[in-house]
Amino acid sequence: MAKKASGKKQHKYVYKFGKKKADGNGKLKELLGGKGANLAEMTRIGLPVPPGFTISTEVCTYFYDHKRSYPKELQGQIEDGVRNMEKVLNRKFGDLNRPLLVAVRSGARDSMPGMMDTILNLGLNDQTVKALGEASGNAWFAWDCYRRFIQMYGDVVMGVQSRPGEDHEPFETLIEEYKAELFPGESDVEDSRLDASQMKELVKRFKRLVKERTRKAFPTDPWKQLQGAVGAVFGSWMNDRAKVYRRKYNIPHEWGTAVNVQAMVFGNTGTNSGSGVAFTRDPANGDKVFYGEFLINAQGEDVVAGVRTPQPVAELKKVMPVPYAELEGIRKTLETHFTDMQDFEFTIEEGVVYMLQTRNGKRTGVAAVHIACDMVREKLIDWKTAVQRVPAEQLDQLLAPIFDAKALRKASKLAHGLPAGPGAATGRIYFNADRAVEAAEKGEKVLLVRVETSPEDLRGMIASEGILTARGGVSSHAALVARQMGKVCVCGAGDLQIDYHAKIMTVGDKNFNEGDFLSIDGTSGDIFEGKVNTAPSEVVQVLVNKSMNPKKSRTFKDFSQLMGWCKKVTKLAVRTNADTPDQTANAVAFGASGIGLTRTEHMFFEGDRIDAVRQMILAEKIDDRQKALNKLLPYQRSDFEGIFKALKGLPATIRLLDPPLHEFLPHDHGAQSQLADSLGVSMELISKRVHELHEFNPMLGHRGCRLGVVYPEISAMQARAVFEAAANVQKKNKIKCRPEIMVPLVGFARELELQIEVIHRVAKEVAKEKKVKFNYLVGTMIEVPRGALTADQIAEHAQFFSFGTNDLTQTTLGMSRDDSGTFLPAYQELEVVKANPFASVDQAGVGQLMEIATAKGRSTRPNIKLGICGEHGGDPASVAFCHKVGLNYVSCSPFRVPVARLAAAQAALADEQAVASKTKKKTIKKKTRK
């Protein structure tokens, strides 16, 4: 580090805290990181915080921008921070009589537990260790601290880590070898069995290991030790685990970390000392209890590292009643001051309590909802704050089936994939949809296991408890359909080798036959051998299964309260993607305001109607095609009747046929032969038609509106089914129906114009035949760039736009959603993309097209209805973007509706706060001028 600067006023990089005074406060998280800001805040409110200082995140930014160097002012400010600690504690850094020892810890703006590095007991050397032993009257304790310091510093700063082929951390290996010398034949020997002289010998061996591995002597100068530790903590911001964690939780790498240097307090001085980690409430279920763990005669690292088994914090009351009572008081102070559940670390040194950090505690989705609602009832926060407190993504956890906790502890983990549909499922594995259906009809619990799924697997997916695929990502077909159905799903489990012919799945050296049991966790992506018992969530039991009295469910009560608050503030409506009455009813129960997407092609796979679809495709004459369509009409009409009844007057956006026709035909010889027999046609005809329909790039081929333009009779049949269903429900059930017919894949205004002519003609015909009036809209999906760029022209005909962001992302980025899994993880790691664009809207690219289409569409038709119906509609970040753009609604899978509703409410509240903040700044500015 550079020498202390002089002259003009320096930029402040170091913020001191101690003795109830602090340079910073809890609002400076961007500058001081979460840990540093909260240490300052706890100091200010009088909690027992050991003194120290925080090096700001600005230094981290400088560090990486200037080839790992520091601002010239930094060294002098660090020295001033050390002097302040010396003054408060009456100790001196490096002193041979009363040495000041420090801890050096990271502290990012958002908590990243365990991802970056920590060094304790810094300042020890061969001389100061003796002073520590004399001052404490405990030589064992002093040498134990020294060996811990060498182990941490040697690993983190000097790079003494496992070599290729070494199974264990080298310092731990050395400890075990030394214990084996001292206590031959014994295992799991506690460190306390070593006396002070043996701890001293261990220190010598540790230093020798450092010299052998690094060719450098272990540093004895405390200032050089501090310099190395600060650099290592800043360096750990870019270690692999930190980068992976940031990618997972969308933490920008630009934020950087702060470094906290704090005077050491010791929980390992004897039986009147200890360390612990605690929560002000239970982070698993939200109960208002003192929750956590502690260890007697231990440093904090022992609690989190699992070296010893901690005890529940409630047991502390028995062994240290006075410190426990103080911690109970601190617990209440923290919640009252921070108005949120806190996760804090404490050390008790010879009966004296010290607070080492506090932060808003990580919690499950269930706990988040309970804590938010409870704190409103306790008048700690208002309802708007409660809405913002619950991470929208976590709301999934309230709806998903869960594994029984006891059973999970005994389960054997087999592999891991991408968590694509949250929840837990156990069943017998089947590699074929038809066999899965047969097994389910016999009462078996089934898991459908496929290399990848296609629309033909739909019945098997419906019959299954969960879906497991070896390929595909979180927006693959399996994932999309699973989420829509509320099915548990794990995708892209690359360790799975599936042999359809032999009906065997291989994972490593283990084989699983069709009919064997597996269990999958769609929340974590974990796959387990055998059966693991599950149970539906309370919210699903109340709303969907109707199997629980809502008054008996605390979770449902708080969930319902949260959704009620969302309704008060939300501007962006939430619809659902649903293809069946059951899916529709589920979504409406969760608060959906209608259907944003019904995929009519999914209906074609129900029962034996696929035969009529195939007859239609094989027809070479329009009359034959019409005969097949006439067979399909009553099926589609019945489907739409069920949906309209379930909606009870809410609107339904129904998409006309979208996939290319070849998807409905079998491609292998055996299936084609079976189809020829069932339809009474020749194999040659089927083979010829399959060949004619083959496309090199079907995603951009003869599909969507292009089918309707070339074969208008298909669109006419589907429109007739919609209008006849609406007429029947309006007349028989006295329910007003509001169909919104959506033409897919429009890139040219004329395409839409041609389809609208067909739809309007059929609507008039049915209205006349049934003697009813229809309240309907016709619009289009914006899912190709040209559609977005010419939205003003398309809006001359369209009454609504729905952004089909799945295909719009593919066509804009030139990426296949189902094939991108081979390179997207690398792209995220290398920061080519910050998030998976198929999971969260690419706002700079796809988002810009959405903004252009919105502006152009409204320039032609100011009252045009705008929505989104891709899977992005259930992604909280995408929902917030849709709110910003000014869409009228988002649409998502039924079981994502609560997530989207919460995200929409949070977006509205963020807007409200931004306006209030802007108004406040203007008011202050005006007053300043006066």
Side-chain angles (χ1 to χ4, degrees):
M1 297 181 192
K3 292 292 181 184
K4 182 176 178 181
S6 60
K8 63 180 182 179
K9 187 177 179 181
Q10 297 178 351
H11 183 83
K12 190 173 181 64
Y13 290 112
V14 171
Y15 291 73
K16 302 187 290 291
F17 57 86
K19 213 170 183 180
K20 299 186 180 180
K21 294 179 181 178
D23 295 341
N25 59 58
K27 295 178 181 178
L28 298 180
K29 285 186 170 61
E30 291 184 21
L31 187 66
L32 304 182
K35 187 176 293 180
N38 286 343
L39 284 169
E41 192 68 17
M42 285 196 294
T43 301
R44 282 172 171 265
I45 63 175
L47 294 182
V49 178
F53 59 86
T54 300
I55 305 171
S56 76
T57 57
E58 291 178 331
V59 178
C60 187
T61 303
Y62 187 102
F63 181 79
Y64 285 106
D65 287 348
H66 295 81
K67 299 180 180 179
R68 297 186 173 237
S69 63
Y70 300 96
K72 61 182 180 180
E73 304 96 333
L74 182 61
Q75 180 64 20
Q77 293 183 22
I78 287 176
E79 290 173 6
D80 185 50
V82 171
R83 279 195 294 272
N84 185 64
M85 283 193 284
E86 291 174 335
K87 182 179 176 183
V88 170
L89 296 171
N90 191 26
R91 294 180 178 275
K92 195 162 182 63
F93 197 47
D95 190 71
L96 300 184
N97 296 311
R98 290 180 57 79
L100 169 67
L101 305 180
V102 300
V104 182
R105 296 183 176 94
S106 62
R109 191 187 308 185
D110 273 10
S111 174
M112 295 172 56
M115 296 302 108
M116 291 180 286
D117 292 327
T118 293
I119 295 158
L120 305 181
N121 309 324
L122 189 145
L124 282 172
N125 55 33
D126 292 349
Q127 287 73 44
T128 55
V129 68
K130 295 173 184 174
L132 180 63
E134 290 170 7
S136 63
N138 188 338
W140 182 94
F141 150 72
W143 287 103
D144 179 47
C145 289
Y146 195 13
R147 72 93 190 161
R148 289 170 183 264
F149 171 50
I150 296 171
Q151 184 169 352
M152 283 187 181
Y153 196 95
D155 174 8
V156 170
V157 182
M158 304 185 76
V160 180
Q161 296 171 352
S162 301
R163 289 171 171 168
E166 290 182 343
D167 294 330
H168 302 289
E169 193 267 339
F171 288 105
E172 288 298 325
T173 299
L174 198 153
I175 292 172
E176 293 308 313
E177 288 173 352
Y178 185 44
K179 286 178 179 177
E181 288 178 29
L182 297 174
F183 308 100
E186 295 187 40
S187 59
D188 298 325
V189 176
E190 292 281 345
D191 290 350
S192 57
R193 296 272 303 278
L194 279 67
D195 61 28
S197 65
Q198 290 164 339
M199 277 291 181
K200 184 176 180 181
E201 173 60 26
L202 195 55
V203 164
K204 286 181 183 177
R205 296 189 182 199
F206 273 15
K207 285 164 53 171
R208 193 182 308 137
L209 174 66
V210 170
K211 186 72 181 285
E212 288 171 359
R213 292 289 180 101
T214 68
R215 305 197 177 204
K216 295 177 184 176
F218 191 84
T220 57
D221 181 348
W223 286 102
K224 287 187 177 177
Q225 293 173 356
L226 181 58
Q227 181 180 6
V230 169
V233 173
F234 279 135
S236 70
W237 175 250
M238 295 301 289
N239 70 31
D240 285 341
R241 63 181 184 272
K243 288 193 284 188
V244 169
Y245 187 92
R246 289 200 296 275
R247 279 200 304 276
K248 180 172 176 60
Y249 293 100
N250 298 313
I251 298 173
H253 78 276
E254 298 89 3
W255 282 3
T257 182
V259 174
N260 298 285
V261 180
Q262 191 175 18
M264 279 297 303
V265 286
F266 301 96
N268 58 329
T269 60
T271 55
N272 200 28
S273 299
S275 295
V277 176
F279 295 80
T280 56
R281 302 189 188 216
D282 188 325
N285 60 32
D287 287 350
K288 193 176 181 180
V289 296
F290 194 11
Y291 180 95
E293 297 175 321
F294 78 99
L295 279 171
I296 295 291
N297 193 22
Q299 289 197 325
E301 63 177 69
D302 300 327
V303 181
V304 296
V307 177
R308 292 158 55 192
T309 303
Q311 295 175 269
V313 75
E315 295 295 311
L316 187 61
K317 188 174 183 178
K318 298 176 184 175
V319 292
M320 293 187 191
V322 175
Y324 178 83
E326 186 176 353
L327 285 168
E328 272 282 17
I330 288 171
R331 171 191 168 215
K332 290 171 186 171
T333 299
L334 288 173
E335 279 214 346
T336 302
H337 185 78
F338 289 100
T339 66
D340 199 356
M341 182 192 83
Q342 295 297 292
D343 163 10
F344 63 92
E345 293 181 20
F346 64 89
T347 285
I348 302 168
E349 182 180 332
E350 297 299 330
V352 179
V353 173
Y354 294 96
M355 293 292 291
L356 303 184
Q357 80 163 348
T358 191
R359 58 193 173 197
N360 294 338
K362 305 286 185 186
R363 63 207 79 177
T364 66
V366 172
V369 172
H370 288 323
I371 290 168
C373 292
D374 284 346
M375 286 189 166
V376 173
R377 288 188 278 267
E378 294 164 23
K379 295 185 168 43
L380 278 173
I381 58 176
D382 60 23
W383 68 267
K384 290 184 178 180
T385 303
V387 169
Q388 292 169 304
R389 281 279 171 84
V390 180
E393 193 63 50
Q394 282 194 329
L395 215 55
D396 257 357
Q397 296 173 24
L398 273 74
L399 310 180
I402 56 173
F403 279 127
D404 177 78
K406 290 181 181 177
L408 194 60
R409 283 195 288 271
K410 299 176 184 176
S412 174
K413 183 175 171 180
L414 180 68
H416 184 81
L418 298 172
T426 291
R428 295 184 184 275
I429 59 174
Y430 284 88
F431 306 118
N432 169 277
D434 291 336
R435 293 196 296 273
V437 171
E438 288 172 14
E441 286 173 349
K442 293 175 184 174
E444 287 185 16
K445 297 289 186 184
V446 169
L447 293 184
L448 181 65
V449 180
R450 302 282 293 162
V451 174
E452 58 196 3
T453 64
S454 74
E456 286 209 54
D457 294 317
L458 190 63
R459 284 184 295 159
M461 297 171 83
I462 291 168
S464 301
E465 301 297 307
I467 300 142
L468 172 62
T469 70
R471 292 184 199 151
V474 293
S475 57
S476 64
H477 175 266
L480 293 176
V481 176
R483 283 195 291 270
Q484 180 166 336
M485 295 177 182
K487 297 284 184 183
V488 179
C489 182
V490 174
C491 289
D495 289 339
L496 274 58
Q497 302 295 321
I498 300 170
D499 185 333
Y500 287 146
H501 179 72
K503 299 180 186 175
I504 289 176
M505 180 185 81
T506 303
V507 183
D509 59 355
K510 295 182 178 180
N511 291 329
F512 297 86
N513 296 308
E514 190 163 87
D516 289 346
F517 274 100
L518 279 187
S519 299
I520 60 173
D521 188 333
T523 304
S524 68
D526 289 335
I527 303 158
F528 301 94
E529 292 185 57
K531 276 181 168 182
V532 181
N533 293 335
T534 63
S537 74
E538 289 183 11
V539 174
V540 172
Q541 288 180 56
V542 173
L543 287 177
V544 178
N545 299 347
K546 314 292 185 190
S547 59
M548 176 180 276
N549 184 338
K551 292 180 181 178
K552 292 184 177 180
S553 172
R554 174 194 175 202
T555 299
F556 174 74
K557 176 184 172 185
D558 285 348
F559 170 81
S560 183
Q561 176 70 81
L562 181 66
M563 291 295 100
W565 289 330
C566 289
K567 191 174 181 180
K568 287 167 70 172
V569 72
T570 302
K571 295 176 183 175
L572 187 69
V574 177
R575 296 192 185 187
T576 189
N577 302 338
D579 307 333
T580 68
D582 284 347
Q583 291 173 10
T584 305
N586 290 346
V588 171
F590 288 136
S593 60
I595 288 178
L597 174 63
T598 289
R599 302 176 177 97
T600 54
E601 63 271 7
H602 283 178
M603 300 169 175
F604 291 167
F605 288 98
E606 286 292 319
D608 59 0
R609 62 183 74 176
I610 187 64
D611 291 341
V613 175
R614 287 167 171 169
Q615 277 184 311
M616 180 266 291
I617 295 168
L618 292 169
E620 295 181 316
K621 297 177 182 177
I622 190 167
D623 290 346
D624 293 334
R625 189 175 303 113
Q626 191 60 57
K627 286 178 185 176
L629 289 169
N630 290 342
K631 289 182 182 178
L632 281 172
L633 175 62
Y635 292 129
Q636 291 250 280
R637 181 175 60 229
S638 175
D639 290 331
F640 296 138
E641 285 176 0
I643 286 171
F644 286 138
K645 288 175 191 174
L647 282 171
K648 299 176 182 176
L650 295 171
T653 303
I654 299 168
R655 183 180 73 185
L656 299 182
L657 186 62
D658 185 44
L661 295 179
H662 78 87
E663 283 198 10
F664 299 98
L665 292 177
H667 292 273
D668 64 277
H669 182 82
Q672 288 179 3
S673 176
Q674 190 177 357
L675 178 62
D677 291 341
S678 67
L679 297 182
V681 298
S682 68
M683 265 285 291
E684 289 72 22
L685 173 62
I686 292 175
S687 182
K688 173 176 169 280
R689 195 69 176 123
V690 168
H691 179 72
E692 288 171 350
L693 291 173
H694 172 74
E695 295 178 307
F696 289 103
N697 192 349
M699 187 257 169
L700 298 177
H702 195 179
R703 54 169 286 219
C705 67
R706 298 161 194 170
L707 285 172
V709 169
V710 176
Y711 304 116
E713 58 272 20
I714 297 177
S715 299
M717 180 278 289
Q718 292 199 293
R720 176 167 284 277
V722 170
F723 290 121
E724 287 185 356
N728 292 345
V729 172
Q730 286 183 180
K731 291 175 81 172
K732 293 177 187 175
N733 304 94
K734 309 301 180 187
I735 295 172
K736 291 290 183 184
C737 299
R738 296 161 60 191
E740 299 175 353
I741 298 178
M742 182 161 67
V743 180
L745 212 73
V746 167
F748 298 86
R750 180 63 176 156
E751 289 174 319
L752 181 60
E753 188 179 10
L754 288 168
Q755 288 287 276
I756 285 178
E757 287 173 5
V758 174
I759 294 163
H760 285 336
R761 172 176 58 77
V762 173
K764 286 177 184 176
E765 291 171 0
V766 177
K768 187 176 180 181
E769 292 164 11
K770 299 285 187 178
K771 296 182 174 56
V772 295
K773 290 182 179 179
F774 296 119
N775 175 17
Y776 74 99
L777 301 177
V778 183
T780 185
M781 287 182 89
I782 301 293
E783 49 189 333
V784 295
R786 194 180 194 281
L789 296 172
T790 60
D792 50 344
Q793 299 170 28
I794 294 172
E796 291 176 8
H797 310 285
Q799 293 169 291
F800 68 88
F801 289 163
S802 182
F803 292 99
T805 49
N806 297 337
D807 277 352
L808 187 58
T809 299
Q810 293 193 96
T811 53
T812 302
L813 273 59
M815 284 184 188
S816 163
R817 144 182 108 191
D818 290 324
D819 298 319
S820 60
T822 57
F823 59 86
L824 264 182
Y827 268 42
Q828 287 180 259
E829 188 169 340
L830 296 168
E831 297 181 348
V832 176
V833 295
K834 291 192 176 180
N836 182 343
F838 295 108
S840 193
V841 168
D842 165 38
Q843 296 181 19
V846 175
Q848 194 173 159
L849 285 174
M850 291 172 66
E851 290 176 300
I852 290 168
T854 297
K856 286 197 165 196
R858 284 186 172 145
S859 70
T860 299
R861 192 183 292 263
N863 64 344
I864 191 169
K865 188 182 289 187
L866 301 172
I868 178 177
C869 63
E871 272 301 297
H872 297 92
D875 168 59
S878 302
V879 171
F881 176 73
C882 292
H883 173 91
K884 187 186 94 171
V885 172
L887 303 192
N888 299 100
Y889 68 86
V890 296
S891 187
C892 58
S893 308
F895 281 72
R896 291 290 287 183
V897 166
V899 173
R901 289 182 64 195
L902 179 54
Q906 290 171 341
L909 287 171
D911 247 10
E912 192 179 288
Q913 287 178 339
V915 170
S917 176
K918 200 172 181 181
T919 304
K920 187 178 178 182
K921 284 178 182 176
K922 282 183 180 178
T923 304
I924 293 170
K925 202 171 182 181
K926 283 180 183 177
K927 286 181 179 178
T928 305
R929 283 175 183 168
K930 288 179 182 179

